[in-house]
Amino acid sequence: FANARAEEAPAMHTYESFDGTQISYQELGTGPLVILLHGFTSSAAQNWIQSGIAQKIADAGYHVVAPDLRGHGASPYNAPPEDWPSDAVARDQIALVAHLKEDPYATVGYSMGSISALRWHLLSRNTGRMALGGIGDSAADEFNTDRNTAFRAAIMEALAGEDTPGAKGMIARTRATGGTLEGYLGALSARTYTPADLLATFDVPTLILTGDQDLDNGSGPALAGLIPGATHHALTGTHITAVVDPELPRAVIAFLDEGRPAD
């Protein structure tokens, strides 16, 4: 990601979530509310601010709010995995909306942020549109956790002080984003998927965006087929590189504009 200059970074705010945990978020722009949810081991700053995506959406006439998800960035939560509340990240967004006193026009997620957006909408049915990147039909499989095995192993290696490529990568992520290994482990262990029969109950315009080399979370087109009326938009790149494809913000903004009433 290109680094944003410090003076250009939006101010950090905090709110108290449902269980008293302090969650941080950044805010910019005016207009209909669009909430941006970042990926696993990332942060709002890395995923959305430094990449310029948040600013592009704000410049298109939207009020952008980008939280650091629980256990990530400036929202530390180092409780052991067994002490994480059920659906904590999704419930944090319900508390965020209550704090902002404004219903979301749209939610934009990437990877874990998209998985969390599905849970949030399932619980609240309170977002007007969803643009979900880096996610496929594996997010509808409530039983298969194999794709998290490598992440969990790398975190445990890092916590044990082992000198492995996975451990080094996780430690590098904490240094780049301000997150913690304990927070990552809790967030990973508390991750909840939304099965196909529940996705079939969604009644919200949904756009799925995945890189043409991204199968990390299954098939994007297949996920679009599980959500009534959803469409898929192909990006260029892998799970890691597709998020910086200039087509991502262009496609998201076009999708947001489609549902916006004329002034």
Side-chain angles (χ1 to χ4, degrees):
F1 298 108
N3 289 325
R5 295 197 304 272
E7 65 268 26
E8 295 176 337
M12 187 75 75
H13 308 282
T14 62
Y15 71 96
E16 185 175 291
S17 193
F18 65 94
D19 62 346
T21 298
Q22 293 293 310
I23 303 294
S24 297
Y25 66 94
Q26 296 180 74
E27 184 176 29
L28 62 163
T30 59
L33 175 61
V34 177
I35 295 179
L36 309 183
L37 304 182
H38 66 75
F40 181 57
T41 74
S42 189
S43 65
Q46 186 183 67
N47 211 153
W48 305 119
I49 307 299
Q50 294 170 7
S51 65
I53 295 172
Q55 188 63 61
K56 289 177 181 177
I57 296 174
D59 288 346
Y62 295 95
H63 173 203
V64 172
V65 171
D68 279 352
L69 302 185
R70 181 180 295 236
H72 291 71
S75 298
Y77 188 73
N78 294 332
E82 61 271 18
D83 290 341
W84 274 60
S86 178
D87 267 325
V89 173
R91 291 162 68 189
D92 288 338
Q93 309 323 311
I94 295 173
L96 172 60
V97 168
H99 167 76
L100 295 172
K101 297 180 174 60
E102 180 181 359
D103 288 337
Y105 170 72
T107 304
V108 180
Y110 197 84
S111 194
M112 182 185 75
S114 295
I115 293 169
S116 301
L118 291 174
R119 297 300 301 177
W120 173 22
H121 184 69
L122 177 68
L123 296 178
S124 70
R125 309 291 174 146
N126 189 31
T127 188
R129 304 174 78 78
M130 292 192 297
L132 309 176
I135 190 175
D137 61 339
S138 292
D141 186 344
E142 60 188 311
F143 299 108
N144 180 11
T145 60
D146 289 348
R147 58 194 176 280
N148 296 329
T149 300
F151 284 135
R152 185 173 289 105
I155 295 169
M156 296 306 295
E157 289 166 359
L159 286 169
E162 297 181 23
D163 187 20
T164 65
K168 290 178 180 177
M170 282 295 168
I171 291 171
R173 297 295 287 174
T174 66
R175 292 171 178 167
T177 66
T180 66
L181 297 170
E182 293 82 4
Y184 295 164
L185 184 62
L188 183 65
S189 300
R191 184 177 292 178
T192 304
Y193 299 95
T194 305
D197 63 318
L198 295 179
L199 293 177
T201 69
F202 282 18
D203 183 18
V204 56
T206 303
L207 175 67
I208 308 296
L209 307 106
T210 52
D212 54 6
Q213 302 170 58
D214 180 9
L215 291 174
D216 282 24
N217 288 302
S219 164
L223 177 62
L226 297 176
I227 301 174
T231 58
H232 177 261
H233 189 101
L235 304 173
T236 300
T238 66
H239 189 71
I240 300 299
T241 62
V243 72
V244 292
D245 179 357
E247 182 59 23
L248 188 150
R250 282 198 294 266
V252 167
I253 291 168
F255 173 72
L256 297 178
D257 289 347
E258 283 176 4
R260 190 171 182 176
D263 294 334

